[in-house]
Amino acid sequence: MKISNDIKYVGVNDHDIDLFEGQYMVKNGMAYNSYVIMDEKIAVFDTVDAHFGEEWLANVAAVLGERLPDYLIVQHMEPDHSANIMRFVERYPRTRIVASAKAFTMMKQFFGTDFFDSRLIAKEGDMLSLGKHELCFVTAPMVHWPEVIVTYDNYDKVLFSADAFGKFGALDVEEDWACEARRYYFGIVGKYGVQAQALLKKASTLDIQTICPLHGPVLNENLGYYLDLYNTWSSYGVESEGVMIAYTSVYGNTKKAVGLLADKLKEKGCPKVAINDLARCDMAEAVEDAFRYGKVILATTTYNADIFPFMREFITTLAEHNWQNRTVGLMENGSWASTAAKVMTKMLDGCKNTTIVEPVVTIKSAMNEDNVAQIDALADEMCK
Ligand code: FEO
């Protein structure tokens, strides 16, 4: 794949992957992107996952032809991108490694060497000339590890953006960008909105015509769309109008109440009701929805004087990811000593600018007339 006359794609698709980063289901696989700039000097950007070393080195060799690379630019040390550094160095021993100081510390940790004799430390604003292509390094700490740099090529106006603007999914599968980019962003980078905002601010000073991320497709059209979404996501803004309901139900009584609530929300004009059964859905999809919509209803049962385990995991994940700026409705069910609403309220304490609306729906075993009225009132509040 050609990005420009001088920039070539040398990444790989992974359809054998079980769970990405040990936890995310990726039904359409994963892409580990890598790029080569061919100029008077040659730079290779990032390696790929450990399982694809040979395929990647063959891709690189096919682009290089008779020439040898001058620089391996390591933008991110997470092993999905850095696992083949040693193999690359064995194949091309005269290549200089370019990375942040923190990345070299991590190389020492991962590989036992920090390449003292062949390293070039890239600091904020440092330039590296390849000939026509002048590369400028920009630090992007915590997007999504502390050592990350992104790189701007001012000849082709390309931003090599590391994990930013990445998504789940291999490149040989057609799928909607936003859906899998959102699930990727909130699962992996979501906690670091402030740092992602800082990177967007730096990017806004650059004339970017193409974004080359380390996962997902190269973006070269309608960049405003992607930048706007990243701005909404990283500022914890509301992307879509509607209500997200996350629930757990043991014998179906809470589920029935959630169904009535969803019907009432729709009757009252709510443009979209997204329902997630936390015991059965992909938790990362539910987390993504909680960040996508501005209004969220949590419905669960009292369990071991606490809340049902999937709801506990869900709220814990939201809090860990800095979930904020949301309106929340609560529904609890318990046959005796209900504590669910109290526990959920306490768990949400640390989520900034989160407002819990009244009434809280309290079901004792199964829905009764009072509950129907509470559900109607909660639907009214959520539709305001
Ligand atoms: Fe794609 Fe943070 O590694």
Side-chain angles (χ1 to χ4, degrees):
M1 194 202 306
K2 183 171 137 181
I3 317 291
S4 72
N5 282 340
D6 302 329
I7 304 177
K8 322 283 178 196
Y9 181 85
V10 291
V12 298
N13 286 318
D14 181 357
H15 286 289
D16 302 326
I17 187 165
D18 165 26
L19 293 172
F20 180 66
E21 292 191 359
Q23 58 173 314
Y24 297 103
M25 288 189 273
V26 282
K27 65 180 189 321
N28 288 332
M30 202 63 205
Y32 313 112
N33 296 341
S34 170
Y35 306 91
V36 178
I37 303 181
M38 301 290 285
D39 200 342
E40 288 164 31
K41 304 260 183 169
I42 296 175
V44 177
F45 281 83
D46 296 287
T47 86
V48 299
D49 180 83
H51 299 92
F52 296 87
E54 279 310 308
E55 183 182 339
W56 171 67
L57 284 170
N59 291 349
V60 172
V63 166
L64 294 180
E66 298 295 306
R67 298 181 63 190
L68 294 173
D70 296 279
Y71 302 107
L72 174 65
I73 298 173
V74 176
Q75 300 187 110
H76 182 17
M77 275 303 293
E78 192 160 16
D80 52 330
H81 311 293
S82 69
N84 286 292
I85 291 176
M86 295 308 281
R87 262 173 119 159
F88 185 88
V89 170
E90 281 159 23
R91 184 77 56 98
Y92 302 110
R94 294 220 296 250
T95 309
R96 295 196 77 178
I97 314 282
V98 184
S100 66
K102 281 196 175 79
F104 285 111
T105 303
M106 290 184 186
M107 286 180 218
K108 177 94 176 157
Q109 292 167 191
F110 277 111
F111 313 125
T113 173
D114 59 5
F115 298 99
F116 188 81
D117 295 328
S118 59
R119 74 184 182 190
L120 202 56
I121 293 176
K123 298 187 299 304
E124 177 78 26
D126 281 357
M127 305 288 295
L128 179 68
S129 175
L130 303 178
K132 291 181 307 206
H133 295 259
E134 300 274 337
L135 303 181
C136 178
F137 301 111
V138 176
T139 58
M142 301 321 293
V143 187
H144 85 284
W145 276 19
E147 85 298 358
V148 171
I149 54 170
V150 301
T151 308
Y152 179 67
D153 168 20
N154 69 10
Y155 182 76
D156 277 332
K157 304 197 183 315
V158 173
L159 180 70
F160 296 90
S161 62
D163 274 343
F165 300 98
K167 68 181 270 296
F168 296 124
L171 296 189
D172 53 2
V173 181
E174 286 273 328
E175 63 180 4
D176 179 59
W177 185 88
C179 183
E180 285 297 74
R182 188 190 302 108
R183 188 167 71 95
Y184 176 92
Y185 175 84
F186 284 114
I188 292 172
V189 190
K191 179 180 176 66
Y192 301 107
V194 170
Q195 290 84 349
Q197 281 277 301
L199 176 58
L200 287 178
K201 198 168 162 201
K202 292 181 195 177
S204 71
T205 64
L206 303 169
D207 175 12
I208 299 168
Q209 288 175 9
T210 303
I211 297 175
C212 289
L214 288 178
H215 302 289
V218 169
L219 308 173
N220 51 17
E221 283 175 358
N222 201 11
L223 292 193
Y225 168 75
Y226 304 102
L227 289 161
D228 281 353
L229 276 179
Y230 249 65
N231 185 39
T232 302
W233 295 344
S234 56
S235 60
Y236 304 97
V238 174
E239 180 187 344
S240 301
E241 291 304 319
V243 175
M244 184 264 191
I245 306 178
Y247 77 95
T248 65
S249 186
V250 188
Y251 293 105
N253 287 302
T254 310
K255 182 177 181 176
K256 196 168 165 190
V258 162
L260 178 67
L261 176 58
D263 289 344
K264 288 202 177 279
L265 287 165
K266 286 179 212 153
E267 270 168 38
K268 292 173 195 290
C270 178
K272 169 81 186 172
V273 182
I275 305 177
N276 289 269
D277 173 351
L278 296 178
R280 291 171 180 81
C281 70
D282 171 8
M283 189 62 81
E285 290 273 2
V287 168
E288 165 194 346
D289 271 352
F291 281 97
R292 177 176 185 170
Y293 297 97
K295 297 172 181 180
V296 171
I297 293 168
L298 305 172
T300 196
T301 43
T302 297
Y303 192 82
N304 284 338
D306 197 89
I307 52 174
F308 207 64
F310 299 101
M311 182 60 81
R312 171 158 281 284
E313 180 189 343
F314 181 60
I315 300 176
T316 301
T317 305
L318 294 183
E320 280 173 359
H321 285 66
N322 271 333
W323 191 64
Q324 53 188 270
N325 301 339
R326 292 314 188 248
T327 301
V328 180
L330 298 178
M331 177 188 286
E332 64 174 349
N333 193 350
S335 295
W336 74 98
S338 283
T339 55
K342 204 166 129 198
V343 172
M344 289 192 285
T345 302
K346 190 157 176 19
M347 288 182 78
L348 292 168
D349 260 0
C351 298
K352 265 196 290 183
N353 299 330
T354 296
T355 310
I356 296 176
V357 299
E358 295 289 340
V360 170
V361 179
T362 296
I363 301 165
K364 292 206 180 299
S365 306
M367 230 184 343
N368 61 22
E369 285 300 308
D370 288 347
N371 296 141
V372 172
Q374 287 170 343
I375 286 169
D376 192 65
L378 178 58
D380 274 338
E381 282 301 311
M382 295 305 271
C383 287
K384 271 183 186 166

